[in-house]
Amino acid sequence: MEDSLDIDDLFADDGALSLPQASISKGLIQKVDELRLLGCNQKIAWSKLGCVAALTADGRDVNLRVLCCDPEDGKWSLSRVYPVEQVANVHGGQQLLYLSWNHTGYELAVTDALGRISIFQMHVALNKLILKRSVKMDPEDDLGVVVGMTWLAHERPFPWYQQATRNGENFRFNITQYRMPGQLVQSIRAALICVTRNGVLRLLYQHPDHGWHETTTELESLSTSNDVLTHASFSSEQDNKLLLLVQSVSHHLRLYRIQIKWTPQGLQPAAQAAALPYPEMTVANMKILVPGFDDIQGSPDGGGASASQPQLSHMELLPLPPQMSSSEPIRLTVMAVFSHLAEVEASHYQESYSVIARWELQSVQSSLHSVFDQLNPGSKTAGSVELHDHHFKRLDDIIVDKIVLSVQLINSGLAIVFSYSDGTVEFRQRSDLAVMTRDDDANRVTNLLRTGFVLPVEEPFLHLSLSPNCCCAATMDDEGTIKLKMMRLTPEDEGTRVLARQENIVLALAMLYAQSLTHHNTGDDVLALVHQIETPNVERKLLSEIYRALSLSADYSTDQHNERTTTVPTIQKCLSVQDSLGRHGGQQHRSIAAKVAWMTLNLRYVFVNMFIITSTASKPGADVDLNRLGVDMLEYAISLMQWASDLVSYLADELLELASTVKGPTYTAEALNGAVATLGCPSLPVIVASVPRFFLRHMVRNVGVLATAARRGFLNSASDVERRKLFRDIVDRIEAGPVHIFQFDRFMRMVDASIRATYSSKSVSVAERGLIEKNMLISGEISEVLMAPGVQDIFQTHLMVLRNEISDPAKAHFADYSWLGLTDDRRAAKLLRENILDVMSKVVIPRPAARPSRRSALAQQQQQQQQQQQRHQNMNAIPAGYAAGVDGNASMNGIGGHYDGGSDAVASAQPLRLRQCTRCGSVMYDHPPSSSSSEVGASGVSRSNNVVGGGNTSMNGLGAGAGAGSSGGGGGGGNATSISMGAPAARGSSSGGPPPAGHSSSNNNSNNSSSNSAAARRASLLSPAKPWKIGVHKMCLCGSLWMQIVSDGRGGGNVGGGGGGGGGGGVGGDLYSG
């Protein structure tokens, strides 16, 4: 057997061994080919306002998705897909190549394969874009394809947060003012500049009149097909100029300097201010020797053949970033990425790889040769004449064993983000392209990456776009599927190590959010990241550092703050963070700190609007005259004043309940804070902390001023009839509240005086007072410093005075305050299941009923006709002051017909168009565009004919009204012509309630006024009210932007849960994709 064993046969080498070739997807092959042929092919882009735009899988349309918080579970995710209207029609079905948002995040540019550019502008909501520039004027030219594009920045400096360094026990923020270099937008709204394949430089700009215009110039004329451009990159210079680097098919590189002067054409300087600006472009070839890309290293196997030579896929002219105080100067740099994709049919094993090459522009100083001294001996010597020359110096290459898919500059150009074909994402430093990893230096904080955050490695993708603050990324694969990748701590940093590095993590997040505010970016991606950090007290520490990073004072206890200084949005944005961090979605109760923040945001919003209304009605040297206000503004004021009137009753009732829970005569901060947390009532922190107390005091004061002016206007016989009805309605609503607005005004004056006296008696310094106020605001806990005598005086003296002035405390206790949007109890949840709370107009809108089946619809129609006949027969039996509702059959563009009195009207199945806040989930009614000559008022009240929307009236506004009129005539069937326009909705008591469908008024019989009519109070909360169309409300009261959604009554989803923290049902799954 041993003889038969041949050792050569055992180890024979008949054939060469080969490694299996790695599989390469068709999408990756197509992606690399696109990058080689054209440098301008970004298919997904994330605006600084939070909207993600992406091309569809076929590349012929654009879809939008928005990062938003689901009120059901409190989790952040991308919304469902919203197609951009008119894109496919405008471009005629052509292949779309490139998407780009401008620096403000409001305009989106879309280019196609024929070089045409359309521009869309954000309109009211993040997911609603309207066409602002069509492609009709652009020629269809294959050589007109855009190879490079950039938007011009606005000329405004902004704070730039470099780092936080330890200074004793605390950290000190290093903040400098930074202005973006390069060509800036000065006297126009927006502008973009691009270069095409045939070397044409196009400048598109928008005048203040919103019209888009264009001017063009040529770089150099094309002589051969080798001069056609493939890649281009714009950069900026410090002297308000642009640099343009282009590469042609023949791999030649040229560098140009571009200067744009905005001057009115053909006008004298005196008339330039009133003229529209006109641009003049000057292009100059810098004639700097730019190295070619022919010497790039070939494949690792050293073959050097053209088949294995890496090809150019990205070219960037890196601009000059802000100069770090401790770093070496950073020069203008050319960075190019060359990629080689392994061939599937290759005979030998190949690797896919990319080469990152860089050239740095350096200045060389020289002097003239001494021979020039002989030409003119009496002039300057040749050595005294300095010459400056520029050349590019090659830096070390970086080779990665994967394909670079995208390159994105972040942090004002100090960092570069590379995404790769294997699904990884790397953040590299601009200076040396070193990968940014965790920094163990506990005395210095720069960014999230240095504290241990990374973007996780998941499945491969083809396209990537980072969020405005780089906390997450949106990826898209070859099928057009978009996924959200959130940053997270590395596995070795999770658990106990998070607690050790918590201070650094909080500081990095605080700097990031503060910079987002100063740069006018959305901070939603930062909040989405914070919600994933499960460490104790991270919310409170983060809020404290945000206030410190912004140098924002929470001390409003002095008289230095007035109505104008408090309208700045910074405090609003900080309160929005506090509210968001305390929400957990669904029926989970919010923290006291979140409730304090949400109530303060509402107080600020109502106060600012009441201040605007009061200022509009004011005249120097004269009393406030409401006749100066329009009818719409008066109706809007009614809703705000009703909300304020019920709010003071709610606060008084909570304070009285708290006083009965915590017995005196001595009070401790621990006992009071424990009782506040147990009862879940934020009333005490709201009246003690200076920020909400300031807004509350001034809101109550403005309501009192308007109420007095309304009484004066009602008694003025010169006022017209319609305004006198509105004035009477204001007076009735204010007087009908369980706690009178003037009583609470006196109470707040005493509280404010006690708090100030307490600070003064204890000699609290300004710095200490600011720290106390900040801690009270962000925690919702009362400081021990203010307990005696301040808080004790509130419970023992001031609150007792208020209770003695209240005529019926039980009335205030049993009233329904769920419509205020401040509570999260079962009553509020029930309200939001059945209705929608318009957080801006402070009205309640009933949800549209689900569409009935054909058979049930016929049966309901027959039953409805019978009920209508019965109502007409019983019209005379209706008590005084109570008007019958409409029959609910009105055909409307919005809210369906609804009436009170226990009727079974079938609500319209028309969908209800709303706006929902991406952060807090609050909802407002989205007014449809006006398409009729008559303005439709509340409850379908047409101002042209003054008829309540009756049985068959067709209207374009809100639905047919409900509700009983307040002492007016008949409302059923649409036959009444002299009517009252709604009544205060009942809340289980004779107090106010949300503004109903319109505004209530009294008829000639003043004994049956709306404030005393029990039948009128039966006009329940479900009256379809008019969300008053005052202002556009581009932002929610929390400072975040809206999304446009549709509620069709089929359930699935959530609308209106923002205010009360609960709610359910109603949007038909329109907002979230699941």
Side-chain angles (χ1 to χ4, degrees):
M1 183 175 180
E2 293 180 358
D3 296 337
S4 63
L5 181 61
D6 190 350
I7 196 71
D8 293 333
D9 294 337
L10 183 62
F11 296 99
D13 188 12
D14 296 334
L17 296 177
S18 61
L19 296 175
Q21 192 74 33
S23 61
I24 302 175
S25 66
K26 295 182 179 180
L28 180 59
I29 297 175
Q30 181 180 355
K31 170 72 173 179
V32 173
D33 289 340
E34 292 175 352
L35 292 175
R36 291 171 178 172
L37 295 176
L38 193 66
C40 196
N41 54 9
Q42 180 175 268
K43 292 180 171 53
I44 183 171
W46 200 324
S47 80
K48 65 184 299 183
L49 298 179
C51 183
V52 180
L55 297 182
T56 55
D58 59 359
R60 303 184 188 278
D61 215 332
V62 179
N63 290 332
L64 301 178
R65 302 184 74 173
V66 179
L67 181 65
C68 51
C69 181
D70 189 348
E72 287 287 348
D73 54 15
K75 295 181 179 180
W76 289 82
S77 61
L78 291 176
S79 68
R80 64 174 288 264
V81 171
Y82 293 93
V84 179
E85 300 175 358
Q86 299 181 312
V87 172
N89 294 333
V90 167
H91 288 269
Q94 281 293 330
Q95 193 76 20
L96 306 178
L97 299 179
Y98 184 74
L99 299 174
S100 177
W101 293 96
N102 70 341
H103 293 286
T104 62
Y106 280 99
E107 280 85 18
L108 175 68
V110 183
T111 70
D112 62 16
L114 297 178
R116 300 176 300 177
I117 303 175
S118 63
I119 298 178
F120 294 82
Q121 187 179 51
M122 191 173 295
H123 179 67
V124 177
L126 285 171
N127 58 340
K128 181 66 175 179
L129 299 184
I130 57 175
L131 180 66
K132 283 297 182 179
R133 184 190 186 274
S134 183
V135 299
K136 295 180 180 179
M137 302 301 295
D138 295 343
E140 297 183 0
D141 185 6
D142 292 341
L143 292 178
V145 178
V146 177
V147 297
M149 176 188 292
T150 186
W151 288 86
L152 302 187
H154 285 270
E155 186 178 14
R156 60 170 69 98
F158 53 84
W160 182 59
Y161 291 77
Q162 295 187 17
Q163 59 185 4
T165 55
R166 186 175 293 278
N167 183 17
E169 296 182 356
N170 296 321
F171 278 79
R172 180 175 59 88
F173 295 102
N174 298 332
I175 308 173
T176 59
Q177 290 291 323
Y178 173 67
R179 187 179 69 88
M180 296 184 65
Q183 187 66 50
L184 304 174
V185 175
Q186 298 177 353
S187 55
I188 60 174
R189 293 178 58 87
L192 66 85
I193 188 170
C194 62
V195 61
T196 62
R197 296 188 66 184
N198 55 3
V200 175
L201 197 64
R202 302 176 59 185
L203 176 65
L204 280 65
Y205 57 96
Q206 186 183 27
H207 275 157
D209 62 354
H210 299 274
W212 278 91
H213 306 269
E214 179 179 0
T215 183
T216 61
T217 186
E218 287 189 357
L219 296 178
E220 294 179 8
S221 59
L222 298 181
S223 56
T224 65
S225 59
N226 288 333
D227 294 332
V228 174
L229 305 182
T230 60
H231 295 75
S233 177
F234 290 91
S235 182
S236 56
E237 278 193 314
Q238 297 290 353
D239 53 354
N240 292 339
K241 295 181 178 65
L242 286 175
L243 294 177
L244 171 62
L245 180 68
V246 298
Q247 184 203 238
S248 62
V249 174
S250 59
H251 304 295
H252 289 165
L253 297 178
R254 291 187 293 273
L255 186 64
Y256 298 91
R257 176 181 281 117
I258 304 170
Q259 185 174 10
I260 305 174
K261 293 183 179 180
W262 300 92
T263 55
Q265 188 179 24
L267 296 177
Q268 298 298 323
Q272 289 182 359
L276 295 177
Y278 180 81
E280 296 180 358
M281 284 195 299
T282 303
V283 182
N285 192 331
M286 295 185 65
K287 299 185 182 302
I288 298 178
L289 181 61
V290 182
F293 296 150
D294 298 330
D295 59 343
I296 298 301
Q297 179 181 350
S299 60
D301 58 8
S306 59
S308 62
Q309 187 76 15
Q311 302 294 320
L312 177 68
S313 59
H314 299 84
M315 186 178 69
E316 296 288 342
L317 187 59
L318 304 181
L320 297 176
Q323 188 63 44
M324 297 286 290
S325 57
S326 60
S327 62
E328 297 182 357
I330 301 178
R331 300 180 178 89
L332 189 72
T333 305
V334 175
M335 185 183 72
V337 178
F338 302 85
S339 299
H340 170 72
L341 192 63
E343 299 180 10
V344 179
E345 302 295 337
S347 58
H348 62 283
Y349 178 75
Q350 291 184 353
E351 288 184 353
S352 297
Y353 66 95
S354 294
V355 179
I356 304 175
R358 293 171 298 153
W359 292 263
E360 187 178 72
L361 183 63
Q362 294 184 351
S363 176
V364 179
Q365 184 175 347
S366 60
S367 60
L368 291 175
H369 195 273
S370 59
V371 71
F372 288 95
D373 293 336
Q374 302 175 7
L375 297 178
N376 191 357
S379 62
K380 293 182 180 181
T381 62
S384 63
V385 179
E386 295 183 354
L387 299 178
H388 294 276
D389 192 14
H390 296 83
H391 74 281
F392 281 94
K393 178 184 177 182
R394 179 75 173 270
L395 303 180
D396 295 336
D397 295 345
I398 297 176
I399 302 178
V400 291
D401 56 352
K402 41 199 169 186
I403 302 297
V404 175
L405 297 179
S406 66
V407 178
Q408 186 172 348
L409 272 69
I410 62 171
N411 197 18
S412 302
L414 282 173
I416 307 174
V417 182
F418 295 88
S419 65
Y420 300 105
S421 54
D422 61 350
T424 58
V425 179
E426 281 185 348
F427 294 77
R428 292 177 177 264
Q429 295 180 158
R430 157 71 185 273
S431 57
D432 55 0
L433 290 188
V435 178
M436 301 174 67
T437 58
R438 187 183 72 247
D439 186 0
D440 293 327
D441 186 1
N443 297 321
R444 185 171 67 99
V445 179
T446 54
N447 52 56
L448 287 177
L449 298 167
R450 297 303 191 186
T451 60
F453 281 92
V454 294
L455 271 175
V457 179
E458 297 175 351
E459 64 274 8
F461 54 84
L462 295 179
H463 310 277
L464 175 138
S465 182
L466 291 172
S467 64
N469 300 296
C470 304
C471 294
C472 51
T475 63
M476 185 170 67
D477 57 18
D478 52 355
E479 297 180 355
T481 303
I482 298 178
K483 295 183 179 180
L484 181 67
K485 295 180 65 171
M486 292 292 302
M487 268 194 173
R488 66 187 183 196
L489 290 168
T490 55
E492 56 269 20
D493 285 326
E494 294 178 351
T496 57
R497 294 197 62 177
V498 176
L499 297 177
R501 303 180 59 86
Q502 185 184 48
E503 187 176 18
N504 290 27
I505 294 173
V506 167
L507 285 168
L509 291 170
M511 286 195 300
L512 197 59
Y513 187 80
Q515 186 149 304
S516 72
L517 294 187
T518 57
H519 291 201
H520 304 286
N521 293 353
T522 177
D524 288 347
D525 54 340
V526 182
L527 295 181
L529 183 61
V530 175
H531 275 274
Q532 295 187 346
I533 303 176
E534 299 179 356
T535 55
N537 298 325
V538 66
E539 296 89 353
R540 188 176 302 184
K541 295 177 181 178
L542 176 61
L543 286 168
S544 179
E545 293 300 335
I546 289 176
Y547 275 88
R548 207 164 61 84
L550 293 170
S551 300
L552 182 62
S553 173
D555 182 13
Y556 283 23
S557 57
T558 60
D559 294 329
Q560 63 180 353
H561 294 84
N562 53 43
E563 288 87 345
R564 298 188 183 277
T565 60
T566 53
T567 58
V568 294
T570 311
I571 187 68
Q572 176 193 26
K573 300 288 188 178
C574 294
L575 291 170
S576 177
V577 175
Q578 182 174 335
D579 171 65
S580 176
L581 296 180
R583 292 178 182 269
H584 307 289
Q587 297 300 322
Q588 301 183 47
H589 294 288
R590 292 173 296 165
S591 63
I592 291 297
K595 291 183 177 181
V596 170
W598 180 246
M599 187 176 292
T600 307
L601 286 169
N602 279 269
L603 289 171
R604 178 188 178 275
Y605 169 76
V606 176
F607 151 68
V608 170
N609 283 273
M610 295 301 294
F611 173 71
I612 293 173
I613 293 172
T614 305
S615 301
T616 305
S618 301
K619 195 174 183 179
D623 294 331
V624 175
D625 186 5
L626 297 186
N627 287 295
R628 298 190 182 101
L629 302 178
V631 174
D632 279 346
M633 186 169 286
L634 281 174
E635 293 173 342
Y636 180 58
I638 290 175
S639 64
L640 297 183
M641 294 175 71
Q642 180 67 76
W643 187 90
S645 178
D646 281 10
L647 174 69
V648 299
S649 299
Y650 167 70
L651 292 175
D653 176 64
E654 275 204 343
L655 289 172
L656 291 173
E657 184 178 0
L658 184 62
S660 63
T661 302
V662 182
K663 303 296 182 181
T666 58
Y667 297 88
T668 62
E670 182 179 1
L672 276 178
N673 292 329
V676 167
T678 301
L679 297 176
C681 56
S683 299
L684 184 60
V686 165
I687 68 169
V688 174
S690 62
V691 173
R693 187 176 77 247
F694 175 89
F695 294 129
L696 179 59
R697 285 194 304 113
H698 288 78
M699 181 198 71
V700 171
R701 187 189 66 180
N702 281 278
V703 172
V705 170
L706 291 179
T708 303
R711 181 179 295 276
R712 188 168 52 246
F714 176 75
L715 298 176
N716 184 6
S717 58
S719 302
D720 59 79
V721 176
E722 186 176 11
R723 292 178 185 274
R724 292 190 69 188
K725 290 180 179 180
L726 294 172
F727 297 158
R728 178 57 185 269
D729 190 21
I730 292 176
V731 175
D732 290 342
R733 289 178 181 274
I734 296 300
E735 292 182 351
V739 179
H740 202 281
I741 199 76
F742 296 105
Q743 297 171 351
F744 200 81
D745 187 20
R746 289 191 294 270
F747 169 73
M748 288 305 303
R749 291 175 187 271
M750 293 186 293
V751 170
D752 189 64
S754 296
I755 299 299
R756 295 191 185 197
T758 303
Y759 279 130
S760 178
S761 63
K762 297 188 177 182
S763 301
V764 179
S765 65
V766 176
E768 292 174 342
R769 188 180 64 209
L771 185 59
I772 292 173
E773 291 290 345
K774 183 179 71 172
N775 291 334
M776 282 197 299
L777 180 62
I778 66 179
S779 65
E781 298 177 353
I782 308 300
S783 173
E784 188 68 42
V785 176
L786 297 177
M787 294 308 299
V791 176
Q792 291 188 9
D793 288 345
I794 294 176
F795 282 98
Q796 295 177 357
T797 305
H798 310 328
L799 196 56
M800 297 302 102
V801 173
L802 178 62
R803 186 180 64 179
N804 294 333
E805 292 179 349
I806 300 175
S807 58
D808 189 358
K811 181 179 175 181
H813 180 70
F814 291 105
D816 182 6
Y817 301 110
S818 57
W819 83 276
L820 294 175
L822 303 175
T823 58
D824 52 10
D825 53 11
R826 288 181 297 177
R827 180 178 286 179
K830 182 178 184 298
L831 168 74
L832 294 174
R833 281 196 303 268
E834 300 173 356
N835 306 274
I836 295 170
L837 173 61
D838 190 327
V839 72
M840 308 302 287
S841 298
K842 302 301 180 187
V843 294
V844 175
I845 308 172
R847 295 181 185 273
R851 295 184 180 91
S853 63
R854 180 180 180 86
R855 181 176 300 178
S856 61
L858 293 175
Q860 290 176 349
Q861 184 177 2
Q862 295 175 359
Q863 181 182 7
Q864 179 186 352
Q865 292 175 354
Q866 296 175 0
Q867 293 172 349
Q868 179 181 358
Q869 296 175 0
Q870 184 66 28
R871 284 196 302 275
H872 283 298
Q873 295 174 3
N874 297 335
M875 258 318 263
N876 296 330
I878 295 179
Y882 180 76
V886 297
D887 60 8
N889 267 339
S891 174
M892 296 158 295
N893 242 348
I895 299 175
H898 194 97
Y899 56 88
D900 64 306
S903 304
D904 297 323
V906 179
S908 171
Q910 294 288 337
L912 185 60
R913 194 172 65 178
L914 306 168
R915 299 182 210 160
Q916 186 164 31
C917 178
T918 59
R919 182 176 298 182
C920 68
S922 299
V923 176
M924 71 168 288
Y925 179 74
D926 191 12
H927 299 274
S930 177
S931 57
S932 62
S933 58
S934 63
E935 179 184 358
V936 179
S939 278
V941 177
S942 173
R943 303 208 184 283
S944 60
N945 53 23
N946 199 30
V947 175
V948 175
N952 298 311
T953 305
S954 176
M955 296 170 289
N956 282 328
L958 296 179
S966 69
S967 317
N975 297 320
T977 56
S978 177
I979 61 169
S980 65
M981 300 164 66
R987 300 180 299 111
S989 70
S990 59
S991 60
H999 50 272
S1000 64
S1001 60
S1002 61
N1003 60 4
N1004 295 329
N1005 184 3
S1006 60
N1007 295 328
N1008 292 324
S1009 65
S1010 63
S1011 60
N1012 297 322
S1013 174
R1017 294 299 175 187
R1018 292 177 58 198
S1020 72
L1021 208 51
L1022 304 180
S1023 311
K1026 174 186 180 181
W1028 315 113
K1029 193 174 181 180
I1030 301 294
V1032 182
H1033 291 317
K1034 290 186 177 180
M1035 291 190 300
C1036 175
L1037 58 84
C1038 73
S1040 296
L1041 296 176
W1042 302 102
M1043 283 184 57
Q1044 191 179 81
I1045 62 175
V1046 176
S1047 175
D1048 57 8
R1050 291 177 295 180
N1054 183 34
V1055 166
V1067 298
D1070 183 45
L1071 179 57
Y1072 300 98
S1073 59

